[in-house]
Amino acid sequence: MKRLAIENAQPIKEIYMKKTLCIMLGASAMASAAWAQTNVAIYGIVDAGIVRESGGVAGSVTKLGSGIASGSRIGFRGREDLGGGMAAQFVLETGTNIDTGAMGQGGLLFGRQAHVGLSTGAGTLTFGRQYTPLFMAVNAVDPFLGFSMAGSANNILSEGGIRMNNTVKYAMPATGPFTADIAYGFGEVAGDSSAGRNVGASVGYSSGPLSIRLAYHRANNVPAAGVAPDDGRSILLGGVYNFGVAKFHLGVQSNKGLITINGRAIPRTDSRDVLVGVTVPFGVSSVMASYIRKDARSALNRDANQMAIGVTYPLSKRTDLYASYARIDNDAAAGTANFYTVGNGSDTGTGDKAFNFGIRHTF
């Protein structure tokens, strides 16, 4: 009798295990189907290091910096398949200063990016706070792309602002060697549709070792008492050529009117800027160097030159060490409106020389 009971128990146990397995597989399939319909990802960068700045009015300073190579952030990215080749998408990305725990971008909740849109076979249309096409083009030709550090081209290269508020942007489908986008930022000033307006566009071509970008940005300032109307206009032509043993970077930019350097408005600094750079791989490491010449088109002392060198060393696919040094030779006196400072990915800096060393982790 005991043997019979054991023999009968075995198929019952097998049936129970099969049912449990079927339930688990069914739940997994349902979860996978839901995930396929709406895919939401959490991502971010945690970056910090030591910064040594000198050459400023207040003297030298050593500090712990956040977001030196890439601004520290946490983001949410989602995409939902709507059928018929159409999909809804969104990005919400907030910046953070991990040295203090404070929020970046002046305390904005989603100061880095915040937009929603639709994508089809005809392209992608997005609405919200977004990067300017000119800023993306500058980054595409800067050898410190993705590794701003002290060598960032944004220290001296006039790029008309990093982000646009109240923006509608269209990007053509990423097929073939050509890319293009156009962005319009509403000024939202009652009675004057042009005040505060931003317009940007870019076109690109990539084939084999060659990549070329042409970008434009125009910013209309808001009229204010005692301030003459002035519009900022910048146009950039640049490219990168990969020789295998090294990448060569070249960019030429023309600026007129009210421009922005590191988020700081500088009036009437008409200039011609030239960037020359190189990226050389050494095993898993990379060495980057660049020279930028700002030729001001006025009788005032607004010329400047920046020289920079940096190195990155990956510890894994998601973690790397970096170091960089940059120096700016200013014609303008320290502390004046046109004195350019050496900053990094999250800080405008205080002097004309800076050294960085830090660690960056992505997730």
Side-chain angles (χ1 to χ4, degrees):
M1 293 292 294
K2 184 176 181 181
R3 181 179 178 182
L4 180 61
I6 294 175
E7 289 177 350
N8 290 336
Q10 187 64 27
I12 294 174
K13 183 178 180 180
E14 291 178 356
I15 293 173
Y16 173 78
M17 292 181 64
K18 288 180 179 179
K19 286 185 176 181
T20 302
L21 181 60
C22 287
I23 293 171
M24 292 176 63
L25 290 175
S28 177
M30 292 174 63
S32 298
W35 186 256
Q37 292 175 6
T38 304
N39 188 349
V40 178
I42 301 175
Y43 65 93
I45 297 176
V46 185
D47 179 317
I50 303 299
V51 177
R52 172 68 176 178
E53 298 172 349
S54 59
V57 175
S60 301
V61 60
T62 302
K63 55 190 179 182
L64 178 67
S66 171
I68 299 168
S70 299
S72 297
R73 71 199 70 173
I74 183 168
F76 305 88
R77 182 187 298 114
R79 180 181 175 86
E80 180 186 13
D81 186 359
L82 301 176
M86 179 181 291
Q89 62 183 54
F90 77 90
V91 173
L92 295 172
E93 188 176 284
T94 184
T96 180
N97 299 318
I98 65 171
D99 54 335
T100 63
M103 297 177 66
Q105 290 74 53
L108 296 177
L109 178 59
F110 295 111
R112 294 190 59 87
Q113 297 184 79
H115 54 82
V116 64
L118 293 172
S119 63
T120 68
T124 301
L125 190 65
T126 48
F127 306 84
R129 179 174 168 86
Q130 307 177 65
Y131 290 113
T132 68
L134 183 61
F135 171 73
M136 298 302 293
V138 170
N139 272 349
V141 301
D142 183 7
F144 287 85
L145 167 66
F147 297 91
S148 292
M149 301 183 281
S152 172
N154 296 326
N155 292 331
I156 189 173
L157 197 66
S158 308
E159 35 83 3
I162 296 175
R163 301 172 181 88
M164 299 166 59
N165 289 330
N166 313 310
T167 298
V168 178
K169 180 187 284 188
Y170 165 77
M172 68 176 287
T175 57
F178 293 98
T179 60
D181 60 359
I182 184 169
Y184 182 94
F186 293 89
E188 301 188 352
V189 176
D192 189 347
S193 61
S194 66
R197 178 179 59 191
N198 283 264
V199 178
S202 72
V203 293
Y205 173 82
S206 297
S207 180
L210 177 65
S211 177
I212 301 174
R213 296 289 289 269
L214 174 66
Y216 172 81
H217 186 85
R218 180 178 182 126
N220 300 77
N221 47 336
V222 179
V227 178
D230 190 15
D231 298 333
R233 300 173 301 282
S234 295
I235 185 168
L236 167 78
L237 175 62
V240 179
Y241 193 90
N242 190 346
F243 290 94
V245 295
K247 291 182 180 179
F248 178 72
H249 307 251
L250 178 64
V252 179
Q253 184 164 300
S254 172
N255 311 284
K256 289 183 177 293
L258 184 68
I259 59 172
T260 302
I261 297 290
N262 271 337
R264 176 168 57 108
I266 301 177
R268 306 213 62 81
T269 310
D270 298 357
S271 68
R272 303 292 184 271
D273 303 340
V274 178
L275 177 151
V276 179
V278 64
T279 302
V280 182
F282 285 96
V284 295
S285 300
S286 293
V287 175
M288 303 155 287
S290 67
Y291 171 81
I292 304 174
R293 167 66 177 170
K294 174 174 287 296
D295 182 14
R297 315 297 284 187
S298 72
L300 300 176
N301 291 327
R302 291 173 174 170
D303 291 349
N305 305 292
Q306 175 176 289
M307 293 173 288
I309 186 168
V311 60
T312 63
Y313 181 81
L315 300 176
S316 69
K317 290 183 178 180
R318 297 190 299 168
T319 304
D320 50 55
L321 302 176
Y322 58 82
S324 178
Y325 173 81
R327 172 175 179 160
I328 297 177
D329 294 322
N330 285 279
D331 283 355
T336 59
N338 298 287
F339 180 80
Y340 299 99
T341 54
V342 179
N344 53 61
S346 299
D347 192 352
T348 60
T350 60
D352 59 7
K353 294 177 285 293
F355 171 79
N356 315 145
F357 173 77
I359 182 171
R360 182 179 68 167
H361 175 78
T362 63
F363 63 89

